[in-house]
């Protein structure tokens, strides 16, 4: 039998008829006329090739075929009712969901700690699985295997939903023992040795060279506009490593201000404004359209936005 030719409303009729065992009462329950219900019973008998309900001295009695159909029909209708119910609100406090977030080292250092603080209070049983850009492909995000990606993106699939978490500027981390602090300007900056730190995009990274200006990022692109070039001695993809290396008395790390401010209480380091203009950048949050309407995912996105807003208000200028 081709189910597309079956009026599934008849299953609703059958369910009520088998409970009421009375055509008039069944019609009243569904808010239809008695003739309409009688017509429905006739069509049901034709569909199942069985009388279904037979008049006896005790009233309408279900046939053996009808009794076997009753639990199956109830299950079908129950599942349909569940499917049509609105999604339940996400109960953060009792949820034990695992959220998988791809976060760059920058986002993991600056955004994830305050986010985790809020999660421990609002959703103590939720688990965060933080993945690096090298662990994840755009396909993983697109198919919902990763809940969201938080990074600075050079490009992104058009199908993704995205929002800006915050904007950030750049600052220099310099050893308190670095003599450049006595005369910090563009010329002395260019004469110094530098630490390069970045990892944008997704997928496995490749090696870098000082000559590869097009791939070096914001700092070196800003210098290139001035027809200048800095001397890079160390390449790293980790901001915490860059902060440790910046304690060397002859090295400078130019990195996002929010990352630099993590070292603001380190007596061995000084945070300094760069001696040239570098364009601000945006930290983005991206996710699959498959998760756009998921209640738990919506809750997490709102929380990320609230945490980012709070951090914007708390973080001082360097």
């Amino acid at each position: 039998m081709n189910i597309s030719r079956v009026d599934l409303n008849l299953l609703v009729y059958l369910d009520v008829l088998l409970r009421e065992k009375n055509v008039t009462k069944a019609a009243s329950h569904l808010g239809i006329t008695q003739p309409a219900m009688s017509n429905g019973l006739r069509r049901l008998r034709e569909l199942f090739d069985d009388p279904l309900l037979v008049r006896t001295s005790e009233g309408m009695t279900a046939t053996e075929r009808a009794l076997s159909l009753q639990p199956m029909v109830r299950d079908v209708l129950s599942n349909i009712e569940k499917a049509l119910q609105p999604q339940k609100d996400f109960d953060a406090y009792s949820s034990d969901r695992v959220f998988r977030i791809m976060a760059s080292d920058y986002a993991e250092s600056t955004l994830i700690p305050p986010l985790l603080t809020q999660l421990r209070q609002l959703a103590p049983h939720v688990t965060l699985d933080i993945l690096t850009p090298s662990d994840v492909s755009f396909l993983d995000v697109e198919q919902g295997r990763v809940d969201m990606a938080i990074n600075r993106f050079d490009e992104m699939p058009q199908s993704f939903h995205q929002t800006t978490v915050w904007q950030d500027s750049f600052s220099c981390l310099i050893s308190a023992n670095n003599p450049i602090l006595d005369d910090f300007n563009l010329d002395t900056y260019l004469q110094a040795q530098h630490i390069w730190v970045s990892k944008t995009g997704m997928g496995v990274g490749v090696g870098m060279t000082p000559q590869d200006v097009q791939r070096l990022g914001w700092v070196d692109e800003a210098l290139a506009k001035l027809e200048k070039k800095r001397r890079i001695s160390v390449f790293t993809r980790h901001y915490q490593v860059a902060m440790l290396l910046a304690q060397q008395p002859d090295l400078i790390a130019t990195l996002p201000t929010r990352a630099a401010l993590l070292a603001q209480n380190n007596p061995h380091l000084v945070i300094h404004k760069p001696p040239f203009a570098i364009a601000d950048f945006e930290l983005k949050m991206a996710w699959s359209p498959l998760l756009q309407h998921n209640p738990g995912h919506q809750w997490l996105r709102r929380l990320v936005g609230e945490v980012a807003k709070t951090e914007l208000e708390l973080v001082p200028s360097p």
Side-chain angles (χ1 to χ4, degrees):
M1 177 181 294
N2 188 344
I3 194 172
S4 65
R5 297 180 181 178
V6 177
D7 182 357
L8 295 181
N9 284 320
L10 291 174
L11 297 182
V12 178
Y13 289 13
L14 180 58
D15 181 55
V16 177
L17 281 166
L18 293 177
R19 280 191 282 115
E20 298 292 346
K21 295 184 174 60
N22 183 290
V23 173
T24 301
K25 289 182 179 180
S28 176
H29 181 86
L30 292 177
I32 62 176
T33 64
Q34 190 271 339
M37 179 57 77
S38 295
N39 183 56
L41 178 56
R42 177 185 60 78
R43 293 170 62 195
L44 283 164
R45 285 167 170 166
E46 292 175 355
L47 178 65
F48 291 106
D49 192 24
D50 187 270
L52 299 176
L53 288 170
V54 177
R55 192 176 299 279
T56 67
S57 59
E58 297 181 353
M60 299 290 282
T61 301
T63 65
E64 184 178 352
R65 171 75 162 141
L67 291 174
S68 68
L69 287 171
Q70 189 170 21
M72 290 187 285
V73 170
R74 181 85 296 272
D75 284 346
V76 168
L77 294 178
S78 177
N79 287 330
I80 292 175
E81 288 169 357
K82 289 178 183 177
L84 295 176
Q85 288 295 316
Q87 292 192 80
K88 293 182 179 179
D89 292 337
F90 179 67
D91 185 356
Y93 194 81
S94 64
S95 175
D96 60 356
R97 180 167 173 171
V98 176
F99 286 109
R100 291 185 171 83
I101 301 176
M102 187 287 284
S104 63
D105 180 64
Y106 164 71
E108 191 172 13
S109 299
T110 58
L111 177 66
I112 297 301
L115 175 63
L116 184 60
T117 298
Q118 287 299 304
L119 279 173
R120 300 318 303 150
Q121 296 177 9
L122 302 175
H125 307 295
V126 159
T127 300
L128 279 188
D129 183 9
I130 309 299
L131 306 170
T132 71
S134 299
D135 295 328
V136 175
S137 68
F138 278 130
L139 183 62
D140 293 323
V141 179
E142 185 177 48
Q143 294 185 352
R145 290 193 290 266
V146 174
D147 288 285
M148 62 180 61
I150 303 177
N151 202 350
R152 298 173 290 160
F153 295 100
D154 294 325
E155 58 183 17
M156 188 187 304
Q158 293 184 351
S159 63
F160 283 18
H161 291 279
Q162 61 173 293
T163 189
T164 298
V165 177
W166 61 44
Q167 287 188 331
D168 202 358
S169 58
F170 285 84
S171 294
C172 296
L173 272 186
I174 307 172
S175 168
N177 297 320
N178 194 326
I180 199 174
L181 291 173
D182 296 330
D183 186 21
F184 188 59
N185 56 51
L186 180 57
D187 289 336
T188 55
Y189 179 92
L190 295 174
Q191 292 168 11
Q193 299 291 325
H194 292 268
I195 304 162
W196 178 95
V197 55
S198 183
K199 177 67 174 81
T200 61
M202 298 165 74
V204 178
V206 294
M208 301 291 294
T209 65
Q211 291 73 36
D212 200 355
V213 176
Q214 295 299 319
R215 293 175 52 231
L216 290 179
W218 289 270
V219 176
D220 296 278
E221 287 174 4
L223 285 172
K225 291 178 181 179
L226 301 174
E227 298 184 348
K228 304 293 183 180
K229 189 175 181 180
R230 60 177 174 165
R231 300 162 65 187
I232 300 174
S233 297
V234 181
F235 289 92
T236 181
R237 278 73 178 167
H238 302 283
Y239 288 94
Q240 297 287 352
V241 171
M243 293 177 203
L244 290 172
L245 296 178
Q247 296 183 54
Q248 298 289 327
D250 60 344
L251 289 174
I252 298 174
T254 305
L255 65 169
T257 297
R258 292 180 184 282
L261 286 171
L262 296 175
Q264 62 185 328
N265 295 322
N266 187 332
H268 304 294
L269 290 170
V270 174
I271 302 174
H272 210 295
K273 183 178 180 180
F276 58 99
I278 308 173
D280 291 353
F281 69 89
E282 293 184 334
L283 181 68
K284 294 276 191 178
M285 173 170 61
W287 63 94
S288 168
L290 298 176
L291 296 171
Q292 170 69 3
H293 301 290
N294 180 277
H297 199 274
Q298 291 176 331
W299 178 85
L300 181 62
R301 297 198 308 265
R302 285 194 299 270
L303 184 62
V304 170
E306 291 168 2
V307 168
K309 183 179 179 181
T310 300
E311 289 300 298
L312 283 171
E313 297 170 350
L314 293 177
V315 174
S317 300

